[in-house]
Amino acid sequence: MSSRFIVGNWKMYNTVSQAETLVRAILADYHPHPTVEVAIAPPFIALQTIATLLASNTIHLAAQTVYQEDEGAFTGEISPLMLKAVGCRYVIIGHSERRHVLGETDQDINMKIRAALRHQLHPILCLGERLEEREAGHTTRVVQSQLQQGLAGIPAKEFPQITLAYEPVWAIGTGKAATVDQAAEVHGEIRRYLQEQYGIEPHTQRILYGGSVSPDNAEALFHSSEINGALIGKACLNAESFGRIIALAKAYTP
Ligand code: 13P
């Protein structure tokens, strides 16, 4: 795979007017590149405004989560139909904050992925172990279990629609990114697992790294052919640092 994918997950930051300011600043310095794809995932309330701003650009719109039903009495939730209609191409599913703060289970995540695929929304499935799981030597087991349950019942022919994101929980928001070796090792294990279980050719599955990615460590991460891009939190809330990471992805795409 010879392209990189950079996704900015804004989490619960920015009012609509702040979102507009940030997107304008990102666009002011954005130059599309044939091998670097970019997406931003603002809060739901800003999707419409940002969709209008991005209309003539090649930055894609993503949502931060989705509910598994098309419509109904599900107060507070948002459906894949609604996300598709507003112009989302991607949806982040199973982020560690959804799993560990908001109680999403692997079964919930599986239903969300199926719902997204039903509506031609491309899921970005997040996987990652907690610190105590890594220290106990359970990283592989945890990530494989998330993968197996998250993808249960989904035919391998759908996998090209899915981006995976390895985000170790201990690296998110801590300023302590995984080392390139740590990330590459888990990415390699994910690829081996997908090959054994589903016959997926190792380098056809797009796998991003997330967790304290910054302009300071992005270059090293992008040197690894195991790492197909980045899912960025804090550093995407500033147009300059997000732009610097995108520039590094352009410079170091094989
Ligand atoms: P940080 O880049 O702030 O560590 O967040 C990573 C993340 O959770 C992206 O989804």
Side-chain angles (χ1 to χ4, degrees), residues 184-211:
E185 183 182 9
V186 177
H187 287 211
E189 284 171 358
I190 291 171
R191 293 185 203 285
R192 273 191 293 284
Y193 177 82
L194 293 176
Q195 186 169 36
E196 281 162 22
Q197 298 295 318
Y198 300 95
I200 303 290
E201 284 303 315
H203 282 278
T204 58
Q205 189 70 46
R206 185 155 72 172
I207 310 179
L208 314 182
Y209 167 77

Side-chain angles (χ1 to χ4, degrees), residues 17 52 57 63 67 75-77 84 90 101 109 116-117 133 137 156-157 164 182 186 192 196 229 249:
S17 71
T52 310
N57 286 279
Y67 194 63
T75 302
E77 296 295 337
K84 191 74 188 166
Y90 292 100
V101 182
I109 290 161
L117 290 170
E133 292 166 333
K157 69 174 167 45
L164 302 176
Q182 285 172 323
V186 177
R192 273 191 293 284
E196 281 162 22

